Amino acid sequence: MTQSLQQLIELSNQFVDAFNKSDLDAVMSFFAEDAEYEDLETDLYQGCRRRSFST
């Protein structure tokens, strides 16, 4: 396995762990200030806006 692939896997795992723990600060650290995120319900969020997770 290449170093780049291993780094990608580690970053992906860190994101999933943060999301599963509802750690909003950690999740947001993966997003750029001008990021766009479209959820499954087709809502589009622009920028690095903080929203609480619904559980």
Side-chain angles (χ1 to χ4, degrees):
M1 186 177 318
T2 67
Q3 184 177 4
S4 296
L5 179 57
Q6 183 61 34
Q7 289 173 326
L8 179 58
I9 290 169
E10 289 175 16
L11 282 173
S12 297
N13 287 337
Q14 291 171 10
F15 177 82
V16 170
D17 288 343
F19 190 88
N20 287 339
K21 292 176 183 175
S22 296
D23 184 344
L24 184 57
D25 289 327
V27 169
M28 295 309 296
S29 74
F30 289 89
F31 288 84
E33 289 295 322
D34 61 349
E36 292 187 354
Y37 175 79
E38 189 170 353
D39 68 18
L40 295 175
E41 297 175 1
T42 67
D43 289 329
L44 178 65
Y45 304 99
Q46 296 177 316
C48 196
R49 286 190 248 168
R50 294 176 52 98
R51 293 179 34 156
S52 61
F53 290 119
S54 56
T55 55

